[in-house]
């Protein structure tokens, strides 16, 4: 039967079209019409023919009179709205936030008082640089924006997955964004910082030193949104019922731990699955494996503000967790996918200025500038000052004020009064005194001249960049060096490259040496202009800055490929798949072709994906079950050999039993390794035909480790 979208042309134009047939079949249904079942115009007119425009005769011209056609095409013509000027590519989900215990000692914010309160949230993750159609896995900062729909109004925590920022003052933001976005003359490169204008800007902005260390680390290529941290970045204020203020930094700690991709994977995923992160988020919520983060706060009293050798108002600095521990205070759970990407994820409008009583701003000059930018940008992006009426942006708290009219106004306010003070409306809506919940800004004492100047307390650009570097594991350091070599290797102007390496000398001489070596250049002297005010009183390292000691005992959300072909031994597939699924991993059976394969015992096994449509980069681990014929088939398949070789190179857990180990040998030989088979950390093998629980448990423990960078031969493998 034809579907409403089946628009094959009728052969003569006089014969009944499939839609006509469809229509008559549906006539009974029309009579029993339910909302949503019948096509209508935007005026609610029932449409009887959605296949043909109105013509003067079957072969004649289309008539201007066709109001149905004109309405449909007009709407289509305007389907696109301007994408966000930054953070254009994103993905979102609904969820809930619950505080663990009352935060009343620090803040009167109502949603942080009672552990029983469930505050609805909408979260949007994003990349910064790429446009809407770019790839998820580009090296970039990830946006982590949370809208809390509290009963006191919306609170937006518009943060990133990196705790510091490139610049100290919002006046530099347009320059930063112009530098990092594709170069304006040819719009190249997309979604990448690896080009001259970005590094030119960075090389002249030593305050960016700390941020670029994070950006060149694997933090900028997360494994999944559910495995990355989030940070409010700026210092905010908490204010309690007594009017006492303390400074606060917000953190999101992922329950699954912090895990990243490796660069080679990120690059390949951009082609094999550019939607890798958004698909992961969508699928895990659909499976009921709800991503979770704990909210953490670092609190600094007013009296302690001056105890640090950096300024709390400087967004290029973090508060090391060794100095001020993060207190875990609540949990965010994402448990519902949006129904419509455009209506919710695209139209959601965040604003760091959306705060509630009990939370206030600090004087961070980056934050202060943001307070203007976000309402302004929504006006041009969403086209109307009434964007707060779009359902995803509507507070659950009542909205009552005298703002009126404007494009696309939805609210129909009754009565003649739209001003305050008024007597004709009995004075409503009226102000609410602070003691009854009205918002009042923290009365911070101000003094000083009206000047354009940067405080001297913002001058140390390198101490924390060095702390970050020193806190990384050896492998993380290797990856940072490679990232610099890649990015600066793309730079065409030598002077730009030299200035950046010269900047690195002020972070760590060995880092600069290694990058210079990778770029085939001498280490330049430290730049004369860049201030280096290294603090004497530094921490040696802060373990929280490294990802190496993150949680490694869970495989929830991990994807495991099982490579099979005709003749596979089904017994071990079952044992391993069940054990993995019980621990929260997703298992996919991958074979050279789709359809079904015939097992050793002539049973049919349905294949989930064919080898040409996937890559090892889309999985966290691989299992190769036994079966002589299956192994021989896979060894003869270049895609299967590549799959295993690449998984080994990327440090992933690999398991094989019985003849399945032949593929490990074949892949190792094809990788040019002399020892003849992949082995060592994270490679689990068994000669048994039927694997036991211990084999499955060892494999599970290996997957939970995320990566085995200690494989000494992995770097030698080309992929
Ligand atoms: Fe911003 C979007 C995070 C500095 C101006 N920003 C945006 C989003 C995130 C951040 C997560 C995407 C929100 C969403 O998903 O819709 N921005 C940050 C962080 C910053 C920061 C953590 C520094 C600590 N931003 C910043 C400055 C300015 C802006 C200094 C301007 C002066 N940001 C914007 C914007 C955007 C935006 C142009 C683009 C789209 C939007 O707001 O809604 O207004």
């Amino acid at each position: 039967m034809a579907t409403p979208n089946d628009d094959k042309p009728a052969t003569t134009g006089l014969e009944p079209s499939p839609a006509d047939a469809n229509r008559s079949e549906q006539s009974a249904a029309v009579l029993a019409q339910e909302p949503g079942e019948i096509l209508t115009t935007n005026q609610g007119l029932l449409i009887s023919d959605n296949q043909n425009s109105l013509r003067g005769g079957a072969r004649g011209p289309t008539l201007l009179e066709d109001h149905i056609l004109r309405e449909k095409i007009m709407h289509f013509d305007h389907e696109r709205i301007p994408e966000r000027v930054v953070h254009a590519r994103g993905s979102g989900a609904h969820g809930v936030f619950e505080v663990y215990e009352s935060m009343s000692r620090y803040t009167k914010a109502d949603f942080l008082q009672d552990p029983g309160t469930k505050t609805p949230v909408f979260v949007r993750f994003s990349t910064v640089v790429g446009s809407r159609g770019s790839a998820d896995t580009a090296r970039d900062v990830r946006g982590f924006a949370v809208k809390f729909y509290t009963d006191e109004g919306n609170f937006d925590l518009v943060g990133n997955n990196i705790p510091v920022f490139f610049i100290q003052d919002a006046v530099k933001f347009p320059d930063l964004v112009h530098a990092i976005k594709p170069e304006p003359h040819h719009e190249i490169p997309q979604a990448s910082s690896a080009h001259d204008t970005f590094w030119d800007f960075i090389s002249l902005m030593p305050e960016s030193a700390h941020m670029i260390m994070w950006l060149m680390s694997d933090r900028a290529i997360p494994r999944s949104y559910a495995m990355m941290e989030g940070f409010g970045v700026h210092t905010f204020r908490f204010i309690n019922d007594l009017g006492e203020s303390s400074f606060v930094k917000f953190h999101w700690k992922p329950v699954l731990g912090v895990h990243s991709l490796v660069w080679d994977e990120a690059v390949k995923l951009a082609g094999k699955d550019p939607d890798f992160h958004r698909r992961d988020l969508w699928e895990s919520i659909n499976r009921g494996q709800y991503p979770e983060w704990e909210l953490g706060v670092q609190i600094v009293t007013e009296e302690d503000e001056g105890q640090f050798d950096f300024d709390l108002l400087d967004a290029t600095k973090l508060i090391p967790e060794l100095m001020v521990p993060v207190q875990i205070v609540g949990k965010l759970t994402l448990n519902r996918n949006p129904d419509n990407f455009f209506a919710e994820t695209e139209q959601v409008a965040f604003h760091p200025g959306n705060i509630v009583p009990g939370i206030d701003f600090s004087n961070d000059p980056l934050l202060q500038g943001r307070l203007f930018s976000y309402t302004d940008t929504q006006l041009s992006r969403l086209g109307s000052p009434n964007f707060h009426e779009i359902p995803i942006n509507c507070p659950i708290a009542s909205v009552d004020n005298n703002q009126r009219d404007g494009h696309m106004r939805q609210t129909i306010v009754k009565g003649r009064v739209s001003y305050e003070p008024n007597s004709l409306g009995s004075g409503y809506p009226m102000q609410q005194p602070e003691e009854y919940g009205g918002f009042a800004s923290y009365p911070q004492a101000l003094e000083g001249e009206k000047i354009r100047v940067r405080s001297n307390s913002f001058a140390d650009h390198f101490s924390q960049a060095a702390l970050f570097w020193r806190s990384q594991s050896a492998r993380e350091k290797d990856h940072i060096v490679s990232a610099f070599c890649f990015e600066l290797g793309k730079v065409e102007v030598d002077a730009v490259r030299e200035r950046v390496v010269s900047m690195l000398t002020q972070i760590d001489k060995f880092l600069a040496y290694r990058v210079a070596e990778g770029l085939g250049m001498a280490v330049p002297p430290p730049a004369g202009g860049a201030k280096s005010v290294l603090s004497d009183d530094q921490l040696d390292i802060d373990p929280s800055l490294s990802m190496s000691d993150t949680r490694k005992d869970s495989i929830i959300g991990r994807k495991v490929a099982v490579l099979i072909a005709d003749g596979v031994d089904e017994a071990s597939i079952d044992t391993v798949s069940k054990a993995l699924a019980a621990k929260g991993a997703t298992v996919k059976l991958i074979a050279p072709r789709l359809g079904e394969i015939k097992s050793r015992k002539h049973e049919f096994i349905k294949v989930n994906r064919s080898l040409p449509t996937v890559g090892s980069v889309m999985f966290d681990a691989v299992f190769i079950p036994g079966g002589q014929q299956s192994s021989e088939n896979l060894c003869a398949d270049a895609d299967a050999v590549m799959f295993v070789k690449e998984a080994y190179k990327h440090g992933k857990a690999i398991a094989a039993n019985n003849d399945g180990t032949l593929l490990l040998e074949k892949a190792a030989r094809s990788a040019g390794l002399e020892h003849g088979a992949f082995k060592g950390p994270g490679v689990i093998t068994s000669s048994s035909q039927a694997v036991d629980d211990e084999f499955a448990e060892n494999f599970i423990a290996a997957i939970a480790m995320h990566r085995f960078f200690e494989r000494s031969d992995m770097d030698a493998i080309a992929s």
Side-chain angles (χ1 to χ4, degrees):
M1 191 173 85
T3 67
N5 290 330
D6 190 344
D7 56 358
K8 283 194 202 106
T11 46
T12 65
L14 296 173
E15 296 158 351
S17 71
D20 291 331
N22 193 23
R23 198 166 52 232
S24 61
E25 278 175 32
Q26 285 181 343
S27 56
V30 172
L31 295 172
Q33 168 193 353
E34 291 289 332
E37 289 183 355
I38 306 296
L39 267 179
T40 75
T41 66
N42 283 336
Q43 305 304 316
L45 181 72
L46 301 186
I47 295 176
S48 62
D49 184 345
N50 192 37
Q51 321 304 318
N52 302 294
S53 48
L54 188 66
R55 286 188 268 272
R59 301 180 61 247
T62 300
L63 301 181
L64 185 60
E65 183 193 317
D66 192 345
H67 58 119
I68 295 176
L69 172 77
R70 281 188 287 116
E71 183 204 74
K72 186 174 177 182
I73 300 290
M74 179 281 292
H75 197 278
F76 167 76
D77 287 345
H78 298 270
E79 272 175 11
R80 298 287 173 271
I81 62 169
E83 65 174 34
R84 289 166 173 83
V85 60
V86 280
H87 296 267
R89 181 168 178 84
S91 192
H94 296 268
V96 67
F97 173 78
E98 289 176 75
V99 71
Y100 287 148
E101 58 188 72
S102 174
M103 296 290 292
S104 60
R105 186 172 154 210
Y106 302 112
T107 174
K108 62 184 176 186
D110 197 52
F111 79 106
L112 295 174
Q113 302 305 305
D114 179 1
T117 307
K118 287 185 169 32
T119 304
V121 298
F122 186 79
V123 178
R124 183 174 179 273
F125 303 105
S126 47
T127 50
V128 177
V129 181
S131 46
R132 272 191 63 185
S134 56
D136 281 349
T137 56
R139 174 177 297 285
D140 201 350
V141 185
R142 298 297 179 292
F144 192 135
V146 184
K147 189 180 284 292
F148 298 78
Y149 303 90
T150 88
D151 53 10
E152 296 179 304
N154 288 352
F155 167 50
D156 291 358
L157 188 54
V158 195
N160 283 338
N161 75 329
I162 290 180
V164 291
F165 204 63
F166 296 96
I167 48 171
Q168 297 173 322
D169 188 316
V171 74
K172 297 307 299 168
F173 191 68
D175 296 300
L176 163 72
V177 174
H178 288 173
I180 200 169
K181 278 275 188 178
E183 299 190 8
H185 57 315
H186 54 16
E187 190 78 356
I188 297 174
Q190 271 294 313
S192 167
S193 52
H195 59 116
D196 286 59
T197 56
F198 175 65
W199 288 104
D200 183 27
F201 178 80
I202 293 300
S203 70
L204 299 167
M205 292 290 289
E207 70 200 54
S208 63
H210 190 191
M211 179 72 171
I212 56 159
M213 292 301 292
W214 285 79
L215 186 64
M216 292 303 110
S217 80
D218 291 347
R219 298 272 185 158
I221 41 172
R223 157 64 182 79
S224 124
Y225 294 137
M227 296 175 200
M228 67 182 198
E229 285 182 291
F231 303 90
V233 183
H234 309 284
T235 301
F236 289 84
R237 278 180 189 279
F238 266 160
I239 294 127
N240 67 15
D241 249 339
L242 302 171
E244 296 162 340
S245 154
S246 42
F247 293 105
V248 56
K249 290 258 193 199
F250 293 105
H251 296 244
W252 292 111
K253 300 274 186 195
V255 168
L256 296 180
V258 191
H259 302 285
S260 283
L261 303 167
V262 294
W263 176 240
D264 187 49
E265 267 182 292
V267 169
K268 288 172 176 165
L269 275 168
K272 294 232 180 220
D273 188 6
D275 303 307
F276 186 69
H277 286 143
R278 61 167 60 179
R279 189 189 307 285
D280 182 88
L281 178 68
W282 181 271
E283 290 180 349
S284 52
I285 293 176
N286 269 357
R287 281 197 304 271
Q289 287 177 334
Y290 300 141
E292 295 174 323
W293 292 260
E294 290 190 305
L295 179 66
V297 291
Q298 285 175 299
I299 308 253
V300 177
T301 60
E302 287 265 354
E303 302 76 63
D304 284 346
E305 184 190 358
Q307 71 154 335
F308 304 100
D309 50 12
F310 53 87
D311 197 320
L312 287 186
L313 304 184
D314 174 359
T316 66
K317 307 294 183 301
L318 47 79
I319 309 179
E321 292 190 24
L322 276 189
M323 287 184 169
V324 179
V326 173
Q327 304 174 40
I328 298 299
V329 303
K331 189 186 268 186
L332 163 70
T333 307
L334 296 183
N335 55 18
R336 182 162 64 88
N337 278 317
D339 292 313
N340 183 282
F341 184 91
F342 180 82
E344 300 174 87
T345 310
E346 192 59 17
Q347 292 200 117
V348 65
F350 290 94
H351 182 17
N354 291 348
I355 52 172
V356 289
I359 299 176
D360 209 337
F361 314 116
S362 69
N363 289 340
D364 174 343
L366 192 72
L367 173 59
Q368 296 279 322
R370 290 178 77 190
L371 299 181
F372 164 71
S373 184
Y374 289 70
T375 24
D376 188 47
T377 206
Q378 309 310 346
L379 195 58
S380 62
R381 196 169 72 80
L382 299 171
S384 147
N386 291 314
F387 61 83
H388 61 285
E389 295 187 333
I390 297 172
I392 193 69
N393 296 323
C394 271
I396 55 169
S398 175
V399 175
D400 304 288
N401 58 40
N402 295 312
Q403 293 173 27
R404 291 289 185 274
D405 310 341
H407 278 297
M408 305 297 169
R409 181 68 170 179
Q410 309 289 306
T411 313
I412 301 172
V413 191
K414 294 185 182 154
R416 62 203 284 211
V417 173
S418 56
Y419 53 89
E420 192 276 341
N422 68 70
S423 69
L424 300 185
S426 311
Y428 298 125
M430 58 173 61
Q431 298 170 177
Q432 182 75 322
E434 189 185 355
E435 55 272 32
Y436 295 106
F439 177 80
S441 293
Y442 178 71
Q444 189 197 349
L446 293 178
E447 59 178 34
E449 295 156 339
K450 195 194 292 180
I451 38 173
R452 291 181 189 274
V453 76
R454 193 79 52 97
S455 166
N456 275 339
S457 54
F458 282 41
D460 172 5
H461 303 319
F462 300 109
S463 295
Q464 288 206 350
L467 174 66
F468 179 77
W469 169 253
R470 286 196 305 270
S471 303
Q472 304 301 297
S473 65
R475 182 50 79 153
E476 285 172 311
K477 284 183 176 167
D478 290 348
H479 289 185
I480 291 172
V481 170
S482 304
F484 272 114
C485 292
F486 175 87
E487 297 259 325
L488 296 174
K490 295 261 187 175
V491 166
E492 287 165 8
V493 176
D494 292 345
V496 169
R497 217 176 1 242
E498 279 162 23
R499 281 202 301 270
V500 177
V501 181
S502 140
M503 199 163 134
L504 297 184
T505 60
Q506 287 167 288
I507 299 172
D508 185 276
K509 296 217 160 26
F510 192 50
L511 162 68
Y513 168 78
R514 290 180 64 185
V515 173
E517 191 187 29
L519 292 169
M521 61 187 271
V523 181
K531 270 195 192 155
S532 175
V533 196
L534 283 177
S535 130
D536 309 326
D537 187 22
Q538 281 188 56
L539 286 173
D540 200 31
I541 62 157
D542 186 336
S544 68
L545 301 176
S546 162
M547 292 189 286
S548 57
D549 284 331
T550 189
R551 179 177 177 182
K552 286 180 182 156
D553 61 356
S554 163
I555 63 163
I556 292 175
R558 299 297 182 154
K559 295 176 184 147
V560 184
V562 179
L563 296 188
I564 56 174
D566 286 321
V568 71
D569 209 333
E570 60 270 67
S572 49
I573 302 183
D574 212 41
T575 312
V576 173
S577 303
K578 280 193 180 136
L580 291 172
K583 295 286 184 189
T586 329
V587 179
K588 295 279 179 229
L589 302 184
I590 316 287
R593 56 171 161 70
L594 268 182
E596 291 176 329
I597 57 143
K598 213 194 257 183
S599 77
R600 194 171 65 89
K601 290 188 179 162
H602 304 290
E603 294 196 353
F604 289 99
I605 302 177
K606 189 166 166 34
V607 174
N608 298 120
R609 299 290 298 270
S610 67
L611 270 167
T613 63
V614 293
S616 72
V617 291
M618 294 158 71
F619 297 89
D620 295 288
V622 50
F623 171 49
I624 311 139
Q628 191 193 346
Q629 194 199 336
S630 169
S631 293
E632 283 170 7
N633 288 340
L634 291 173
C635 284
D637 187 313
D639 287 338
V641 176
M642 179 64 161
F643 198 103
V644 176
K645 192 168 85 162
E646 217 174 41
Y648 185 82
K649 180 184 173 61
H650 296 154
K652 294 175 180 173
I654 302 177
N657 76 302
N658 202 12
D659 310 307
T661 56
L662 293 176
L663 189 56
L664 297 188
E665 286 170 25
K666 174 74 197 243
R669 275 200 306 280
S670 105
L673 298 187
E674 286 163 11
H675 51 62
F678 288 141
K679 52 186 172 203
V683 180
I684 320 292
T685 54
S686 160
S687 52
S688 319
Q689 190 179 349
V691 294
D692 54 12
D693 290 346
E694 194 188 343
F695 177 89
E697 277 160 25
N698 289 341
F699 188 34
I700 288 167
I703 299 169
M705 290 303 289
H706 185 59
R707 294 302 159 84
F708 292 88
F709 290 127
E710 56 272 40
R711 287 176 191 160
S712 53
D713 45 11
M714 61 198 277
D715 288 337
I717 300 174
S719 66

